[in-house]
Amino acid sequence: MPTSHDDLPLRFLSPENRPAKVSLWKRAQVCARQIREATSGHRPFDTQAYCRAANRGALAMAMAGDMEESERSCRRQAQLLLTLIRSGSLPQRELPRVLQPWINIGRLRVIQGRCEEARAHFPSPEALHRAGVFDGWLDQAWGLTHEECDLILGSTEGRAFVTNTHVVETAKAHARAGRVDLLAEHVRRWHDLDEKPPHLREAAALLALRDGRTVPSFSGRNTTSLADAAIEVHATMVDPNRSGSLVERLELLTSRPGDADLVTVLRAGAEVLAGHDRVGEACRFLRSVITLCHDIEDEAELFTALMALGRLDPDSGAVDEARRIASDSGYAFVRTKTGMPPLRSVADEPRLAVLRDSEIDAVSNSLPTMETT
């Protein structure tokens, strides 16, 4: 039976360069080392390497279940960047990087179900001046100034970053909150955006399906596009007659280089096929996902795919493998699903505390006169 239009999930599958969800213990060690290397006094401050490691480190803390420490991590990153830029130690062209930890805090709000608060963290270019980015959050009135906002919006790259983040993250926040009305308004507003992100087209397709309309099949046009496949997954959820087309598309996708975005679409497609009683094909694609997860060391998606395969094929041994993975997992959702106790706070969990310590040391080493938290 087709899914009710009202039950169609507003979740986005579009590619967005998702990082593989490797072991949190490994992620913490790697990010801590990269932060120390990027901020050591023995070489020039490596802004790109520091920000990449700090952003992934904050995400790791959140996935471990410590939202408060993850938010503090974002503040530490902003504190360091703003001070170095304002002192002239880093060029002003690095200002857009200050927005990333602010955006990440918004993502934490979405995870916590505080979607209305989250939207303030995804300002449009027109709203950036009044967004209050980090205003008063760093023990001083340290928000971006009017002049700094102008500098960000005055560069092609900075304005494009603000626009793209606003469009994508706001859409995801509306979807997570179930605000179909706001999502529809958002899509209408940005419908004619040049170089629109795939999330915008996916949102329009989801809205059409919820309204009982059909969306066209993309067969014959860019057949290995993850964005097109994402829409086909949603359309097939409503219309089981498209299952054959979905199978063909997923088979084509397996020829792509493996990454976390591919895992997302393949697993979602397998779930839809299973829901339409095409269990054999669903298991086949889940096995492809499992192989891919092993290749890219994606622990979290591997666990989820194994559990899904175990439900469909109890004799596969997949559940036993999933439980072995869970036995030493730092992911909060994995521990919850298998009845394990939650982790201690990041500060009290040694395998994660190394990450927090590296961030605090980076601020102390670069800004020795400032207090850190």
Side-chain angles (χ1 to χ4, degrees):
M1 293 292 291
T3 297
S4 163
H5 297 128
D6 291 336
D7 294 336
L8 191 68
L10 290 174
R11 62 164 178 157
F12 292 91
L13 307 174
S14 287
E16 50 188 42
N17 296 316
R18 295 174 176 88
K21 300 182 187 72
V22 302
S23 160
L24 283 186
W25 315 128
K26 178 178 179 179
R27 173 61 54 78
Q29 291 288 341
V30 170
C31 288
R33 174 177 53 78
Q34 291 173 339
I35 288 171
R36 293 188 187 282
E37 290 174 352
T39 59
S40 72
H42 303 297
R43 63 189 76 178
F45 186 94
D46 190 333
T47 313
Q48 181 176 351
Y50 166 72
C51 290
R52 181 175 59 248
N55 289 328
R56 292 186 175 184
L59 177 61
M61 294 176 187
M63 288 185 169
D66 194 339
M67 297 294 181
E68 292 182 0
E69 193 62 51
S70 180
E71 186 169 315
R72 284 192 288 268
S73 173
C74 293
R75 295 189 193 190
R76 286 191 288 268
Q77 182 183 352
Q79 179 186 37
L80 179 55
L81 291 174
L82 274 172
T83 302
L84 291 178
I85 291 170
R86 288 172 177 175
S87 70
S89 299
L90 289 178
Q92 289 182 322
R93 68 172 179 271
E94 301 288 8
L95 272 169
R97 295 188 187 277
V98 178
L99 295 177
Q100 189 63 61
W102 179 255
I103 292 163
N104 288 342
I105 291 173
R107 289 169 171 165
L108 295 179
R109 297 285 184 268
V110 172
I111 293 171
Q112 294 166 318
R114 299 158 63 183
C115 296
E116 186 172 346
E117 292 177 57
R119 291 197 291 270
H121 291 259
F122 314 135
S124 67
E126 295 73 23
L128 184 61
H129 285 94
R130 59 180 184 274
V133 175
F134 284 111
D135 187 19
W137 279 43
L138 303 171
D139 301 325
Q140 302 177 45
W142 265 40
L144 286 179
T145 66
H146 188 93
E147 291 75 15
E148 288 167 338
C149 290
D150 285 342
L151 285 168
I152 291 172
L153 298 175
S155 72
T156 301
E157 296 80 5
R159 189 175 187 87
F161 174 70
V162 173
T163 301
N164 187 73
T165 300
H166 168 72
V167 171
V168 171
E169 299 298 337
T170 301
K172 290 161 68 175
H174 289 331
R176 187 68 171 258
R179 292 299 304 269
V180 177
D181 54 338
L182 294 180
L183 182 61
E185 179 183 336
H186 187 66
V187 170
R188 282 194 297 271
R189 179 185 176 192
W190 294 99
H191 181 267
D192 296 325
L193 180 68
D194 293 336
E195 299 182 16
K196 57 176 68 68
H199 295 75
L200 201 61
R201 187 158 61 86
E202 186 180 0
L206 280 165
L207 291 168
L209 291 167
R210 286 180 68 91
D211 288 342
R213 293 176 280 135
T214 59
V215 296
S217 174
F218 296 99
S219 58
R221 182 171 70 82
N222 196 14
T223 52
T224 60
S225 163
L226 285 177
D228 288 352
I231 293 176
E232 192 68 31
V233 169
H234 298 308
T236 305
M237 178 174 286
V238 174
D239 181 5
N241 292 323
R242 294 178 73 144
S243 296
S245 174
L246 177 60
V247 168
E248 292 176 2
R249 182 168 297 280
L250 296 180
E251 287 175 340
L252 286 167
L253 290 184
T254 59
S255 66
R256 290 175 54 102
D259 58 24
D261 285 324
L262 177 58
V263 167
T264 297
V265 175
L266 285 178
R267 185 167 68 79
E271 290 172 358
V272 169
L273 292 172
H276 292 322
D277 295 324
R278 300 184 68 143
V279 175
E281 288 155 320
C283 289
R284 178 158 57 87
F285 287 116
L286 283 172
R287 290 189 177 95
S288 295
V289 169
I290 289 166
T291 298
L292 177 54
C293 287
H294 278 297
D295 291 343
I296 64 176
E297 300 183 39
D298 194 319
E299 177 187 295
E301 289 289 352
L302 176 59
F303 170 83
T304 303
L306 285 167
M307 292 295 286
L309 179 60
R311 287 192 297 271
L312 297 176
D313 183 2
D315 296 328
S316 64
V319 172
D320 290 338
E321 184 180 351
R323 292 192 177 279
R324 284 195 296 273
I325 292 169
S327 65
D328 190 41
S329 179
Y331 285 95
F333 85 93
V334 172
R335 300 178 71 87
T336 298
K337 282 180 177 290
T338 53
M340 299 171 66
L343 292 173
R344 295 174 291 177
S345 67
V346 166
D348 294 327
E349 173 52 59
R351 288 181 288 183
L352 295 175
V354 294
L355 176 56
R356 175 182 180 270
D357 293 344
S358 72
E359 293 181 347
I360 292 174
D361 288 346
V363 176
S364 297
N365 295 336
S366 301
L367 315 173
T369 63
M370 297 190 62
E371 293 184 2
T372 58
T373 58

